[in-house]
Coordinates of all heavy atoms in Angstrom, one line a residue:
A120 N 18.7 -7.7 -3.6 CA 18.2 -7.5 -2.2 C 18.6 -6.1 -1.7 O 17.8 -5.4 -1.1 CB 18.6 -8.6 -1.3
V121 N 19.8 -5.7 -2.0 CA 20.3 -4.4 -1.5 C 19.5 -3.3 -2.2 O 19.0 -2.3 -1.6 CB 21.8 -4.2 -1.7 CG1 22.2 -2.8 -1.5 CG2 22.5 -5.1 -0.8
V122 N 19.3 -3.4 -3.5 CA 18.5 -2.4 -4.3 C 17.1 -2.4 -3.7 O 16.5 -1.3 -3.6 CB 18.5 -2.8 -5.8 CG1 17.5 -1.9 -6.5 CG2 19.9 -2.5 -6.3
G123 N 16.5 -3.5 -3.5 CA 15.1 -3.6 -2.9 C 15.0 -2.9 -1.6 O 14.0 -2.3 -1.3
L124 N 16.1 -3.1 -0.7 CA 16.0 -2.5 0.6 C 16.2 -1.0 0.6 O 15.7 -0.2 1.4 CB 17.1 -3.1 1.5 CG 16.8 -4.6 1.9 CD1 18.0 -5.1 2.7 CD2 15.6 -4.7 2.7
T125 N 17.0 -0.5 -0.4 CA 17.3 0.9 -0.5 C 16.3 1.7 -1.3 O 16.3 2.9 -1.3 CB 18.7 1.2 -1.0 OG1 18.8 0.6 -2.3 CG2 19.8 0.6 -0.1
A126 N 15.4 1.0 -2.1 CA 14.5 1.7 -2.9 C 13.4 2.4 -2.0 O 13.1 1.8 -0.9 CB 13.7 0.7 -3.8
P127 N 13.0 3.5 -2.4 CA 12.0 4.2 -1.5 C 10.7 3.5 -1.5 O 10.3 2.8 -2.5 CB 11.8 5.6 -2.2 CG 12.3 5.4 -3.6 CD 13.3 4.3 -3.6
A128 N 10.0 3.6 -0.4 CA 8.7 3.0 -0.3 C 7.7 3.6 -1.2 O 7.9 4.8 -1.7 CB 8.2 3.1 1.1
A129 N 6.6 2.9 -1.5 CA 5.6 3.5 -2.4 C 5.1 4.9 -1.9 O 5.0 5.1 -0.7 CB 4.4 2.6 -2.5
S130 N 4.9 5.8 -2.8 CA 4.5 7.1 -2.4 C 3.1 7.4 -2.9 O 2.4 6.5 -3.2 CB 5.5 8.2 -2.8 OG 5.7 8.1 -4.2
A131 N 2.8 8.7 -3.1 CA 1.5 9.0 -3.6 C 1.3 8.4 -5.0 O 2.2 8.3 -5.7 CB 1.4 10.6 -3.7
R132 N 0.1 8.1 -5.3 CA -0.2 7.5 -6.6 C -1.3 8.4 -7.2 O -2.3 8.7 -6.6 CB -0.8 6.1 -6.5 CG 0.3 5.1 -6.0 CD -0.2 3.7 -6.0 NE 0.8 2.9 -5.5 CZ 0.6 1.7 -5.0 NH1 -0.6 1.2 -5.0 NH2 1.7 0.9 -4.5
V133 N -1.0 8.8 -8.4 CA -2.0 9.6 -9.2 C -2.2 8.9 -10.5 O -1.3 8.6 -11.2 CB -1.5 11.0 -9.4 CG1 -2.6 11.8 -10.1 CG2 -1.2 11.7 -8.1
E134 N -3.4 8.5 -10.8 CA -3.7 7.7 -12.0 C -4.8 8.4 -12.8 O -5.8 8.8 -12.1 CB -4.2 6.3 -11.6 CG -3.1 5.5 -11.0 CD -3.5 4.2 -10.5 OE1 -4.7 4.0 -10.3 OE2 -2.7 3.3 -10.2
P135 N -4.8 8.6 -14.0 CA -3.6 8.2 -14.9 C -2.5 9.2 -14.8 O -2.7 10.3 -14.4 CB -4.2 8.2 -16.3 CG -5.3 9.2 -16.2 CD -5.8 9.2 -14.8
D136 N -1.3 8.7 -15.1 CA -0.1 9.6 -15.2 C 0.6 9.1 -16.4 O 1.1 8.0 -16.5 CB 0.7 9.5 -14.0 CG 1.9 10.4 -14.0 OD1 1.9 11.4 -14.8 OD2 2.8 10.2 -13.1
P137 N 0.8 9.9 -17.5 CA 0.5 11.3 -17.6 C -1.0 11.6 -17.7 O -1.8 10.7 -18.0 CB 1.3 11.8 -18.8 CG 1.4 10.6 -19.7 CD 1.4 9.4 -18.7
M138 N -1.3 12.9 -17.5 CA -2.7 13.3 -17.5 C -2.9 14.5 -18.4 O -1.9 15.1 -18.8 CB -3.2 13.6 -16.1 CG -2.5 14.7 -15.5 SD -2.6 14.7 -13.7 CE -1.6 13.2 -13.3
A139 N -4.1 15.0 -18.7 CA -4.3 16.2 -19.4 C -5.1 17.2 -18.5 O -5.7 16.8 -17.6 CB -5.2 15.9 -20.7
A140 N -4.9 18.5 -18.9 CA -5.7 19.5 -18.2 C -7.2 19.2 -18.3 O -7.7 18.8 -19.3 CB -5.4 20.9 -18.8
G141 N -7.9 19.4 -17.2 CA -9.3 19.1 -17.2 C -9.7 17.7 -17.0 O -10.9 17.3 -16.9
Q142 N -8.8 16.8 -16.8 CA -9.0 15.3 -16.7 C -9.3 15.0 -15.3 O -8.8 15.5 -14.3 CB -7.9 14.5 -17.2 CG -8.1 13.1 -17.3 CD -7.0 12.3 -18.0 OE1 -6.0 12.9 -18.4 NE2 -7.1 11.0 -18.1
R143 N -10.2 14.0 -15.1 CA -10.5 13.4 -13.8 C -9.4 12.4 -13.4 O -9.0 11.6 -14.2 CB -11.9 12.7 -13.8 CG -12.4 12.4 -12.5 CD -13.5 13.4 -12.1 NE -14.1 13.0 -10.9 CZ -14.2 13.8 -9.8 NH1 -13.7 15.0 -9.8 NH2 -14.8 13.3 -8.7
V144 N -8.8 12.5 -12.2 CA -7.8 11.6 -11.7 C -8.1 11.1 -10.4 O -8.9 11.6 -9.6 CB -6.4 12.4 -11.7 CG1 -6.0 12.8 -13.1 CG2 -6.4 13.5 -10.8
N145 N -7.4 10.0 -10.0 CA -7.6 9.4 -8.7 C -6.2 9.5 -8.0 O -5.2 9.2 -8.5 CB -7.9 7.9 -8.8 CG -8.0 7.3 -7.4 OD1 -7.1 6.8 -6.9 ND2 -9.3 7.2 -6.9
V146 N -6.3 10.1 -6.8 CA -5.1 10.3 -5.9 C -5.2 9.3 -4.8 O -6.3 9.3 -4.1 CB -5.0 11.7 -5.4 CG1 -3.8 12.0 -4.6 CG2 -5.1 12.7 -6.6
S147 N -4.1 8.6 -4.5 CA -4.2 7.7 -3.3 C -2.8 7.7 -2.6 O -1.8 8.2 -3.2 CB -4.5 6.2 -3.7 OG -3.5 5.7 -4.5
D148 N -2.8 7.2 -1.4 CA -1.6 7.3 -0.5 C -0.8 6.0 -0.7 O 0.3 5.9 0.0 CB -2.0 7.5 0.9 CG -2.7 6.2 1.5 OD1 -3.2 5.4 0.7 OD2 -2.8 6.2 2.7
G149 N -1.1 5.1 -1.5 CA -0.4 3.8 -1.7 C -0.3 3.0 -0.4 O 0.7 2.4 -0.1
R150 N -1.3 3.1 0.5 CA -1.5 2.4 1.7 C -0.4 2.8 2.8 O 0.0 2.0 3.6 CB -1.4 0.9 1.5 CG -2.6 0.4 0.7 CD -2.6 -1.1 0.7 NE -3.8 -1.6 0.1 CZ -4.9 -1.9 0.7 NH1 -5.1 -1.6 1.9 NH2 -5.9 -2.4 0.0
R151 N 0.0 4.1 2.7 CA 1.0 4.5 3.7 C 0.4 5.3 4.9 O 1.1 5.4 5.9 CB 2.0 5.4 3.0 CG 2.9 4.6 2.0 CD 4.0 5.4 1.5 NE 4.9 5.9 2.5 CZ 5.9 6.7 2.2 NH1 6.2 7.0 0.9 NH2 6.7 7.2 3.1
C152 N -0.8 5.8 4.8 CA -1.4 6.5 5.9 C -2.3 5.6 6.7 O -3.0 4.8 6.1 CB -2.1 7.7 5.4 SG -1.2 8.9 4.5
A153 N -2.4 5.8 8.0 CA -3.4 5.1 8.8 C -4.8 5.6 8.5 O -5.0 6.8 8.5 CB -3.1 5.2 10.3
T154 N -5.7 4.7 8.2 CA -7.1 5.2 7.8 C -7.8 5.9 8.9 O -8.6 6.7 8.7 CB -7.9 4.0 7.3 OG1 -8.0 3.0 8.3 CG2 -7.3 3.5 6.0
D155 N -7.4 5.6 10.2 CA -8.1 6.2 11.3 C -7.6 7.7 11.6 O -8.3 8.4 12.3 CB -8.1 5.4 12.5 CG -6.6 5.1 13.0 OD1 -5.7 5.3 12.2 OD2 -6.4 4.8 14.2
R156 N -6.5 8.1 11.0 CA -6.0 9.4 11.3 C -6.2 10.4 10.1 O -6.0 11.6 10.3 CB -4.4 9.3 11.5 CG -4.1 8.4 12.7 CD -2.8 8.6 13.2 NE -2.5 10.0 13.6 CZ -1.3 10.5 13.6 NH1 -0.2 9.7 13.3 NH2 -1.1 11.7 13.9
G157 N -6.7 9.9 9.0 CA -7.0 10.7 7.8 C -5.8 11.1 7.0 O -4.6 10.9 7.5
A158 N -6.0 11.7 5.9 CA -5.0 12.2 5.0 C -5.5 13.2 4.0 O -6.7 13.2 3.7 CB -4.3 11.0 4.3

């Protein structure tokens, strides 16, 4: 429980990771930003 509470919240997600130069990737906020304020 202590480890779970001190672990950082989900951050940016880039998939796939690892990636190659020239590859198409998806970047997301991991549901941390309010959709009405933009990111």
Side-chain angles (χ1 to χ4, degrees):
V121 169
V122 168
L124 292 174
T125 60
S130 58
R132 292 185 183 161
V133 182
E134 295 172 342
D136 184 16
M138 63 201 67
Q142 185 171 4
R143 193 102 172 124
V144 295
N145 180 273
V146 181
S147 67
D148 69 343
R150 296 188 175 272
R151 290 190 57 183
C152 299
T154 56
D155 61 339
R156 297 195 60 203

